[in-house]
Amino acid sequence: SKAKLFDEKTDVKTTFKDVAGLEGAKEEVQEIVDFLKNPEKYTNLGGKIPKGALLVGPPGTGKTLLAKAVAGEAKVPFFSLSGSDFVEMFVGVGASRVRDLFKQAKEKSPAIIFIDEIDAIGRARGKNAMSGSNDERENTLNQLLTEMDGFGTKTNVIVLAATNRADVLDKALMRAGRFDRQIHVDLPNLTERKAIFEVHLKPLKKAEGLDVSFLSKQTPGFSGADIANLCNEAALIAARKDKKAVEKQDFLDAVDRIVGGLEKRSNLFS
Ligand code: ATP
């Protein structure tokens, strides 16, 4: 299949309200929103606006959501692509796509570029010499670094990249003037899970007296994506039973189903 070039969204509706928990991460990216909205405030005093930040954390914790919310809050276009689209690419293709992406983002600046799974292109060099696509991966990475190094003080494009493996990344990526900030996006604690439930329960027709704290206690280890999935499963289970509202038991049945799935997932790796 032909991997798509990249995705561009101009009228992003996602805001910080859609991102539950993650207060520390939101505070850190708030600064990026301000850089995008008021660059002169910083450059007038001789400051250099950061070019990139890494969002680091386990799958499904809201890294993509947070990056999108930065674009939504700053009201700037959101360009996104996934590092995994660059593996097994013909020579020259990866680098030329990166070039195109930055060209378009710069034309529409201020803008956010979001690179999901940056580790797929940004792995430390020479660590997977067995893989045939290694050369093009390296070209792609070099092109990315070249583009970021080439940003002028007036470029006003900020690159956010997500990974759950910051430890495998090439140190060149983290050098000053590149992805020199790390923002941690961790699994939610009890209180944060409750906040995430509030977001994802909103569209559901809930039974009266449904106890959100109880649901949060039943879901240790769940990510935001797991909770979103759980709420949807519960609604489907209730509908299948022709219920008029989603009840506690439907959530418990959905928990069983999802925990079953999670166990299967981890058995695959053990
Ligand atoms: P991956 O590493 O797998 O790409 P991610 O960290 O980018 O995951 P997202 O794609 O942002 O995670 O999350 C998937 C979905 O899970 C979101 O679209 C949202 O519905 C829900 N979700 C995740 N985290 C949160 C959160 N903190 N608040 C509200 N919803 C969340």
Side-chain angles (χ1 to χ4, degrees):
S1 74
K2 192 170 163 285
K4 66 175 159 33
L5 189 58
F6 54 78
D7 196 42
E8 178 188 349
K9 283 198 180 59
T10 34
D11 190 21
V12 181
K13 296 278 188 261
T14 309
T15 65
F16 288 153
K17 273 207 305 292
D18 302 301
V19 187
L22 301 182
E23 291 310 324
K26 276 196 266 186
E27 215 165 277
E28 289 188 62
V29 296
Q30 174 61 54
E31 197 179 17
I32 296 176
V33 172
D34 204 40
F35 292 144
L36 290 165
K37 284 170 98 171
N38 308 302
E40 295 83 13
K41 183 169 122 188
Y42 300 88
T43 53
N44 283 348
L45 298 182
K48 284 198 196 82
I49 290 176
K51 300 169 181 180
L54 271 185
L55 305 174
V56 183
T61 45
K63 298 182 290 297
T64 306
L65 188 67
L66 187 65
K68 210 178 266 173
V70 170
E73 292 281 345
K75 299 191 171 61
V76 303
F78 182 75
F79 291 86
S80 64
L81 80 178
S82 176
S84 59
D85 292 341
F86 288 88
V87 294
E88 288 172 20
M89 214 164 239
F90 290 111
V91 175
V93 176
S96 86
R97 285 185 180 194
V98 167
R99 212 174 300 124
D100 279 354
L101 167 70
F102 278 79
K103 184 165 173 277
Q104 299 231 15
K106 281 190 272 189
E107 278 168 11
K108 303 227 165 120
S109 83
I112 284 285
I113 291 178
F114 175 65
I115 305 175
D116 202 2
E117 300 178 62
I118 182 103
D119 37 292
I121 47 173
R123 233 163 234 279
R125 286 167 251 217
K127 274 207 179 139
N128 52 352
M130 299 298 285
S131 122
S133 60
N134 212 29
D135 280 349
E136 189 46 23
R137 191 190 62 82
E138 216 159 281
N139 289 340
T140 305
L141 173 61
N142 288 334
Q143 188 61 38
L144 172 66
L145 298 177
T146 304
E147 294 290 348
M148 289 179 78
D149 291 347
F151 279 5
T153 46
K154 293 213 153 52
T155 303
N156 212 9
V157 172
I158 296 184
V159 190
L160 299 175
T163 183
N164 38 45
R165 294 295 311 274
D167 57 309
V168 302
L169 292 179
D170 196 313
K171 293 289 171 285
L173 275 166
M174 271 89 99
R175 214 166 283 154
R178 294 173 177 171
F179 297 97
D180 48 11
R181 297 171 171 223
Q182 286 199 15
I183 298 169
H184 291 271
V185 179
D186 292 317
L187 282 172
N189 65 22
L190 182 69
T191 322
E192 291 163 331
R193 289 200 299 279
K194 199 170 165 203
I196 297 173
F197 266 111
E198 302 285 3
V199 168
H200 293 283
L201 285 173
K202 212 164 277 165
L204 265 55
K205 199 168 271 175
K206 300 170 283 289
E208 219 162 295
L210 183 75
D211 183 353
V212 184
S213 299
F214 172 80
L215 296 178
S216 315
K217 283 182 196 135
Q218 297 302 309
T219 48
F222 275 47
S223 67
D226 293 331
I227 292 173
N229 183 23
L230 169 67
C231 291
N232 191 58
E233 275 296 326
L236 298 182
I237 290 170
R240 209 169 295 135
K241 294 181 174 162
D242 296 316
K243 291 185 184 177
K244 293 279 170 283
V246 194
E247 295 168 358
K248 178 175 164 180
Q249 190 56 48
D250 304 315
F251 286 95
L252 291 175
D253 291 347
V255 169
D256 281 346
R257 184 176 287 180
I258 288 168
V259 170
L262 291 175
E263 273 165 7
K264 264 185 222 138
R265 202 157 77 190
S266 62
N267 284 342
L268 280 176
F269 297 108
S270 61

